[in-house]
Amino acid sequence: MSTPVPAPLGALVEELLETPGPLPIVAAGDPVLRRPAMPYEGQLPGPLLARLLTAMREAMHAAPGVGLAAPQVGIPLRIAVVEDPAEVAEEVRDARGRVPQPFRVLVNPSYEPAGAARAAFFEGCLSVPGWQAVVARYARIRLRAEDEHGRRVDEECAGWPARIVQHETDHLDGMLYLDRAELRSLTSQQALVDRWAQPTPHTAARALGFSLPVDG
């Protein structure tokens, strides 16, 4: 039996955008989340790309989340959207370097560390609902990408914005945050609220028996 030929990307996006309501988010276990996404090279006409980005932003808000990669809605392209109002307590903002991020589109993003320091915090994913785990990520990175208009992005990010970029770029490389997580820290969302809502995961590390990076 021959293997079915995938629908052209344009047709796939058109079909997806016919879905009523917010776009459904693909859950872990779907192969699209485990395959490196294709570089975006203008495969979609401008108006269709704009519609997809609007729909991704609406899905991100509805979830709610602070980032969403195209594979998470079933589209295997290196595109992500991010936006973070950072409506958190001051002590959380200070500990995590979490500052408001306006809506932006990252096309073909990549990153490299800007220094060896790492920071470890609980992290979740819209494709793994109901769970969080501690992930050590680079505290500061250099981001390279384009925006939706093809304009070059080359900047340094730190704190929570750097974490979001790393998380979403990992999605585009076929990775989930659990691939980088300290699995002894894995906790349900309810347990996180009840037990581990502190600004840093140091209390959880002592109680659950996992290590944090010395610079975390």
Side-chain angles (χ1 to χ4, degrees), residues 59-74:
M60 177 176 63
H61 287 172
V66 296
L68 187 68
Q72 290 182 277
V73 294

Side-chain angles (χ1 to χ4, degrees), residues 24-42:
I25 294 175
V26 173
D30 192 308
V32 73
L33 295 175
R34 289 308 197 172
R35 297 173 182 149
M38 293 180 288
Y40 182 72
E41 299 173 340

Side-chain angles (χ1 to χ4, degrees), residues 35-176:
R35 297 173 182 149
M38 293 180 288
Y40 182 72
E41 299 173 340
Q43 293 96 327
L44 305 178
L48 184 57
L49 175 63
R51 289 172 56 205
L52 173 62
L53 296 175
T54 296
M56 288 176 61
R57 185 182 190 184
E58 291 172 351
M60 177 176 63
H61 287 172
V66 296
L68 187 68
Q72 290 182 277
V73 294
I75 303 300
L77 287 172
R78 292 189 69 86
I79 297 173
V81 297
V82 301
E83 184 176 11
D84 184 11
E87 296 172 342
V88 295
E90 183 176 355
E91 62 178 355
V92 173
R93 182 175 66 246
D94 292 344
R96 302 178 186 177
R98 188 167 179 180
V99 294
Q101 295 295 296
F103 176 76
R104 67 188 308 192
V105 177
L106 301 177
V107 177
N108 298 329
S110 64
Y111 68 86
E112 61 187 39
R118 294 184 300 157
F121 293 103
F122 276 104
E123 186 172 315
C125 179
L126 299 180
S127 291
V128 190
W131 298 91
Q132 291 204 25
V134 171
V135 184
R137 294 193 184 271
Y138 293 113
R140 181 178 291 274
I141 62 168
R142 182 175 182 180
L143 164 66
R144 293 184 175 90
E146 295 179 349
D147 68 11
E148 66 271 39
H149 305 294
R151 294 178 296 219
R152 185 182 179 194
V153 175
D154 188 342
E155 63 188 49
E156 284 199 3
C157 307
W160 212 256
R163 179 169 295 266
I164 295 171
V165 166
Q166 290 171 82
H167 182 112
E168 299 308 326
T169 304
D170 280 357
H171 270 304
L172 304 178
D173 292 334
M175 295 187 67
L176 295 175

